Amino acid sequence: MTHSAYVRAVDAFEALIKAPGRDAFASPAGLIRAAGLPASSGYRHTAVLEAEGMLRRDAQGHYLPGMSTIRVGLQGFGFGRMAPLVQPILLQLRQRTQLTSFLAIAQDMELRMGPHTVGRETRAIPVQPSYSFETIPDLVIGDVSEVVLRWFERTVARRTSVALIPVESSTSNIALIGLVLNATRGASDAQIQALQQAYGQIKEQEI
């Protein structure tokens, strides 16, 4: 593969992987348009990435990052072993709470969402790719915390409340499972218990 062909392939991969997290694309044509790729090569790239597990579809047929992408992303942060656990645990968490559940990586004062979220939004609160903690969080493995996250919509600062439970740490990162809370109230006892159960499921896999 020539250098220019390699660059084009990487660009196509990044475009296709980024597009699913923003909207629901239930057809290759919609995904390709959203990624800004030419139709001539977009269908081929989409088919190859789906066959290799880099893209997948949910129960409604919408494209999402595939297990191979999730595994590579988590390995980059030092949490590769969690890749096969994430999807079923987040689905259960979503079903139990009816809130958007997510896996995130915390580093200093930043929280990077993904590579996986379940439930596109809670009470019309869109999930952003990254956030800043409003105050320095006290993140303890296995303990649930309610925190306020900040993000910007153009020049306007917005706030989102979440409940988090740190599940694993590496040298410089912390992996967390969380729920996007309704703005009018905090986490209920049932939601806290659901997060604790999710943490327990992950710890059981270490044995």
Side-chain angles (χ1 to χ4, degrees):
M1 181 183 291
T2 66
H3 177 69
S4 60
Y6 173 79
V7 170
R8 287 197 301 272
V10 170
D11 288 345
F13 170 74
E14 289 185 345
L16 288 167
I17 291 299
K18 288 177 180 176
R22 299 187 177 275
D23 292 291
F25 302 110
S27 71
L31 179 62
I32 291 163
R33 282 195 301 272
L37 297 173
S40 57
S41 61
Y43 283 96
R44 185 174 67 254
H45 290 318
T46 302
V48 170
L49 290 173
E50 195 169 0
E52 294 296 328
M54 306 304 281
L55 284 175
R56 67 177 181 85
R57 300 195 197 203
D58 63 15
Q60 289 72 45
H62 300 141
Y63 281 100
L64 295 170
M67 186 54 65
S68 296
T69 300
I70 292 169
R71 183 166 49 252
V72 170
L74 286 173
Q75 283 174 340
F77 287 107
F79 305 117
R81 73 164 198 88
M82 291 179 58
L85 311 178
V86 173
Q87 184 183 358
I89 288 174
L90 290 183
L91 284 171
Q92 290 175 24
L93 193 54
R94 165 70 175 176
Q95 290 167 354
R96 290 189 64 186
T97 64
Q98 296 303 301
L99 297 176
T100 297
S101 59
F102 60 85
L103 171 71
I105 306 296
Q107 185 176 44
D108 298 324
M109 289 294 287
E110 287 191 49
L111 187 72
R112 297 175 182 172
M113 298 294 282
H116 217 54
T117 60
V118 177
R120 297 196 173 275
E121 53 188 39
T122 297
R123 288 284 180 87
I125 301 171
V127 175
Q128 305 300 316
S130 62
Y131 295 87
S132 297
F133 289 104
E134 190 164 67
T135 58
I136 298 174
D138 183 18
L139 300 175
V140 178
I141 301 295
D143 288 352
V144 176
S145 301
E146 290 186 46
V147 301
V148 176
L149 305 175
R150 296 187 63 184
W151 55 281
F152 284 88
E153 189 174 36
R154 296 187 179 90
T155 58
V156 179
R158 306 289 187 187
R159 290 175 173 81
T160 298
S161 296
V162 298
L164 303 170
I165 186 164
V167 296
E168 193 169 321
S169 63
S170 63
T171 306
S172 57
N173 304 300
I174 301 175
L176 311 104
I177 296 291
L179 294 169
V180 179
L181 301 174
N182 293 317
T184 55
R185 56 184 180 270
S188 67
D189 290 343
Q191 291 160 359
I192 291 172
Q193 289 172 4
L195 285 169
Q196 291 170 335
Q197 182 179 18
Y199 170 71
Q201 289 176 282
I202 291 173
K203 298 306 290 182
E204 285 175 4
Q205 300 300 317
E206 293 182 352
I207 300 173

